[in-house]
Amino acid sequence: MKLKKWLAMPLAVMLAGGTVLAGCGNDKEEEGKAPPAAGQSAGASAKPAVKKDITVSIYDRGVVSQDEGTIENNRWTKWINENGPANVKFVAIPRTNPAEKINVLYASGSAPDLLFEYAPTNRNPLYDQKQLMPIDDLIEKHSVEYKKLLQENPMLKKAGTKSDGKLYEFGRISWVEPNRGILIRTDWLEKLKLEMPKTTDDLYKVVKAFAEQDPDGNGAKDTFGLVVSGNAEATIKQVFGATTSWVVKDGELVMDWDSRTDYFTFLKKLYDEGIIDRDFANDKNGAKAKQDFINGKVGIYPYLDGNSMSILQNLVDPLKKNVATANVTFLAYPQSKAGAFVPTLQNPVQMTAVVSATAKNPDAVIKYVDFLVKEDTMKTLTFGIEGTHYKMSDGVPEIIDAAKLKKEVSDISGDMRMLQNTGLTYGSSDVPLVKYKSDPRKEEYQKFYDLYRNTYLTLDKPYSELTVSEHMPALPKDLATIDTNAGKAIGDIWLKAVVSGEKYKVEQALKDAQDIWQKSNGKSIEDWYKNWYSTNKNDAFLAKDIFVVVKEQQEKYAKIMQEIK
């Protein structure tokens, strides 16, 4: 096996099963010292004669070991300052509620020069308030690495450009996996002589059979056909094209009542016939439904999880431990009246950082970004120090001690890697034949991974939504409030229709929901979205752009697999 990119290996290289988080600790020999300088065990940018001062935000997740220091002052902040092009002061932002701290920092004039923040709902208001600095000219004048990245990946520029036509956000290309899917018990299908459901009508028949025909053979009517609580709700909504309120019709972005009506009609039918758990509304986090599935009492389990190993280890393995004869596979989204869709995919072009308008040394910020996106920098911040945290094996890093890596590297450096381009440098990070090459189950893992990808990364079907949520436009604050309040009231109406039997039908719920929308001035929201789409449909990052990135990565994956085998 000759994988030429070191990043073709993930954190959990050579570990049997399980995902390794990350951390940072110390050897006695290293205690109190920064890791070796770049160029010894890891490369880095040449140091400028005089370094300028910049401030950079970093999430505080509360996971840094006490003997490693703090998230603002530790071995990796020291390493960055010794090897990078600027003097960086790190500003901690609580991960649990970053918006609150971000707002305080900007309101008080203490904004970090470079703000790292995943949520566009927290970044976009800063643009609206003119708190951000455009970076087009800065990149042109001061960047080498990120400028090259933009030239080679124009999607990054497209996704980071705001409505004034200027670039404001730095981002990364991420390796794309399906974020949602559906597991189905194939042993139950075989026992009841049922075919895999191809349409939502087929799905109903299978759900009914799973609930009523004793598929587990215990002589009791104690199984459910389908999970609809927790994250499963949105997954099944996607089957009907009903996750979002907005669809493109005749070239315009309009409200979609039809798909939601179809979904709730389907759900009400399942509820009325008692073939789903009638207490689903109280299982808000889906914990009971998950337990029902792994205990062998549910036939179809829609999930939210973008990692095949997590699905296998947290759902399939526990099920088989409890029910040795259980077999499952992935169910492609059945066709509804709205069509057959590709599920939500992980965001392939994720914007993660902005420059504050108050930055005094923006040129140094750009040079720091260049330092971060270099492969040698990311190698060190991902795997640590060669000989201490990893050794090279077949051209890729092999972790020496997972616990040491977690404490001494990943728990600290994880959010220093928010510009790491995994979709460009290590697309094989989840390839089990690489990731688990010493694990006796590696062939099984690989087969499961390929099944997962082949079921859902089918680009011959439309995407289930206009785009991934991070690239949807943010409503102005007044309209967002209307949308939230009306949405909650309408959601209550749909639920009432599902659980009320003949007393309150879906048709009446639709009329009442539309009435609430109208009285809440929902038309102002419709007009805003319609105008946004009309103005930005050629420039916004939409589903077609997602598919471009996915196609490129599929070709890369095929080459990786050829090289491995």
Side-chain angles (χ1 to χ4, degrees):
M1 180 179 67
K2 296 181 179 179
L3 296 180
K4 296 180 181 179
K5 291 284 188 183
W6 60 266
L7 277 174
M9 193 68 71
L11 290 179
V13 170
M14 299 297 292
L15 299 178
T19 300
V20 176
L21 300 175
C24 191
N26 15 305
D27 283 26
K28 290 183 179 178
E29 295 179 353
E30 296 175 321
E31 192 168 355
K33 299 180 181 179
Q40 296 178 15
S41 60
S45 304
K47 298 180 184 179
V50 178
K51 293 184 180 184
K52 295 182 179 180
D53 297 335
I54 62 173
T55 55
V56 177
S57 74
I58 187 166
Y59 289 131
D60 186 353
R61 298 177 185 266
V63 296
V64 177
S65 175
Q66 188 174 1
D67 60 348
E68 283 296 321
T70 66
I71 194 62
E72 307 103 306
N73 184 18
N74 53 69
R75 68 173 67 203
W76 296 110
T77 60
K78 294 173 184 175
W79 182 85
I80 284 172
N81 277 301
E82 287 184 7
N83 295 283
N87 296 317
V88 182
K89 178 182 178 182
F90 288 89
V91 179
I93 294 181
R95 185 66 185 105
T96 51
N97 185 14
E100 184 177 332
K101 181 66 177 286
I102 290 171
N103 291 337
V104 169
L105 289 171
Y106 278 86
S108 64
S110 305
D113 298 328
L114 181 62
L115 174 72
F116 281 97
E117 170 59 27
Y118 284 117
T121 51
N122 292 335
R123 297 193 310 268
N124 290 337
L126 299 176
Y127 167 75
D128 294 334
Q129 298 159 13
K130 302 188 183 306
Q131 299 263 30
L132 302 182
M133 183 181 295
I135 55 178
D136 312 69
D137 292 342
L138 289 169
I139 291 172
E140 183 60 33
K141 292 177 184 176
H142 303 292
S143 174
V144 175
E145 301 293 337
Y146 198 80
K147 183 195 295 186
K148 181 181 177 184
L149 196 64
L150 284 176
Q151 291 168 347
E152 294 175 351
N153 302 276
M155 293 295 183
L156 275 173
K157 185 167 185 178
K158 185 173 189 177
T161 299
K162 294 296 188 182
S163 58
D164 64 359
K166 297 179 181 179
L167 183 66
Y168 284 86
E169 296 178 323
F170 296 105
R172 62 184 183 181
I173 306 295
S174 298
W175 187 249
V176 181
E177 303 287 12
N179 226 16
R180 292 185 183 274
I182 305 171
L183 292 174
I184 185 168
R185 289 281 298 270
T186 54
D187 56 318
W188 284 12
L189 287 173
E190 292 169 6
K191 180 176 181 180
L192 301 180
K193 296 181 172 51
L194 299 168
E195 299 291 330
M196 287 281 284
K198 298 290 194 298
T199 68
T200 50
D201 287 340
D202 295 339
L203 181 62
Y204 160 73
K205 293 172 184 176
V206 171
V207 171
K208 187 174 180 67
F210 281 177
E212 296 180 347
Q213 295 182 26
D214 192 24
D216 61 354
N218 68 350
K221 190 177 178 181
D222 59 353
T223 56
F224 295 118
L226 174 70
V227 165
V228 294
S229 60
N231 290 317
E233 177 187 18
T235 302
I236 293 298
K237 278 184 176 179
Q238 280 189 344
V239 171
F240 288 84
T243 314
T244 176
S245 302
W246 308 99
V247 295
V248 177
K249 287 186 178 179
D250 300 324
E252 291 187 332
L253 194 63
V254 298
M255 276 284 284
D256 178 24
W257 293 99
D258 294 341
S259 296
R260 279 180 289 171
T261 302
D262 289 341
Y263 166 73
F264 285 108
T265 299
F266 176 80
L267 183 59
K268 182 176 178 64
K269 188 174 184 179
L270 303 185
Y271 183 90
D272 286 346
E273 296 185 16
I275 55 181
I276 57 173
D277 186 352
R278 285 189 166 179
D279 198 35
F280 75 90
N282 291 322
D283 185 26
K284 296 188 184 302
N285 64 3
K288 180 181 181 298
K290 178 180 178 181
Q291 202 60 42
D292 286 341
F293 177 74
I294 65 179
N295 284 337
K297 295 302 177 183
V298 173
I300 302 175
Y301 188 85
Y303 62 82
L304 169 65
D305 196 326
N307 184 288
S308 68
M309 289 306 300
S310 173
I311 297 164
L312 183 63
Q313 293 169 346
N314 296 324
L315 292 170
V316 180
D317 283 351
L319 168 64
K320 290 189 174 184
K321 183 178 179 181
N322 291 326
V323 185
T325 57
N327 283 309
V328 300
T329 193
F330 293 101
L331 172 63
Y333 278 12
Q335 182 157 346
S336 65
K337 289 180 183 178
F341 300 104
V342 171
T344 300
L345 303 178
Q346 294 174 3
N347 187 2
V349 182
Q350 185 178 34
M351 312 318 291
T352 59
V354 290
V355 179
S356 299
T358 53
K360 294 179 180 178
N361 296 310
D363 56 328
V365 173
I366 300 299
K367 291 175 182 177
Y368 178 64
V369 168
D370 269 14
F371 172 73
L372 288 182
V373 300
K374 292 185 72 172
E375 285 190 15
D376 283 348
T377 303
M378 286 299 110
K379 179 179 180 180
T380 301
L381 294 176
T382 301
F383 296 101
I385 304 304
E386 185 174 1
T388 299
H389 301 104
Y390 72 92
K391 61 183 179 180
M392 297 304 294
S393 173
D394 292 333
V396 292
E398 176 183 337
I399 303 310
I400 296 171
D401 184 327
K404 182 179 179 68
L405 180 80
K406 181 181 186 306
K407 180 185 177 187
E408 298 186 3
V409 185
S410 312
D411 278 353
I412 299 175
S413 69
D415 291 316
M416 298 172 182
R417 292 185 271 115
M418 288 175 65
L419 289 174
Q420 187 170 18
N421 289 280
T422 59
L424 301 177
T425 52
Y426 66 108
S428 61
S429 64
D430 281 327
V431 178
L433 289 178
V434 174
K435 187 171 183 177
Y436 303 106
K437 67 178 184 178
S438 62
D439 192 296
R441 295 180 67 189
K442 65 176 184 274
E443 298 288 349
E444 177 192 353
Y445 296 159
Q446 184 65 47
K447 184 178 179 181
F448 191 78
Y449 179 65
D450 285 335
L451 179 64
Y452 155 78
R453 289 180 61 86
N454 292 337
T455 302
Y456 297 119
L457 287 177
T458 52
L459 304 187
D460 56 334
K461 298 177 182 178
Y463 195 60
S464 60
E465 299 173 10
L466 184 68
T467 185
V468 292
S469 60
E470 290 177 61
H471 293 292
M472 281 295 289
L475 286 168
K477 189 173 181 180
D478 57 333
L479 296 185
T481 301
I482 292 173
D483 195 36
T484 298
N485 294 338
K488 184 180 184 307
I490 290 170
D492 291 342
I493 282 176
W494 288 123
L495 179 59
K496 178 183 175 183
V498 170
V499 302
S500 296
E502 290 297 315
K503 297 177 184 177
Y504 192 60
K505 296 185 178 181
V506 171
E507 293 79 8
Q508 185 60 50
L510 172 61
K511 292 178 183 177
D512 293 344
Q514 290 174 325
D515 185 53
I516 286 177
W517 183 250
Q518 182 180 0
K519 289 178 178 177
S520 301
N521 195 22
K523 188 178 184 305
S524 62
I525 297 174
E526 292 182 52
D527 291 342
W528 189 91
Y529 272 114
K530 185 179 292 187
N531 180 66
W532 172 84
Y533 184 74
S534 175
T535 305
N536 296 282
K537 61 184 176 183
N538 295 323
D539 300 316
F541 189 84
L542 302 177
K544 66 181 187 301
D545 302 308
I546 300 172
F547 280 11
V548 169
V549 178
V550 171
K551 185 177 180 181
E552 292 173 353
Q553 292 184 0
Q554 285 178 323
E555 292 170 357
K556 179 184 294 185
Y557 178 69
K559 290 179 181 178
I560 290 168
M561 293 308 296
Q562 242 181 359
E563 192 171 356
I564 291 172
K565 295 175 179 179

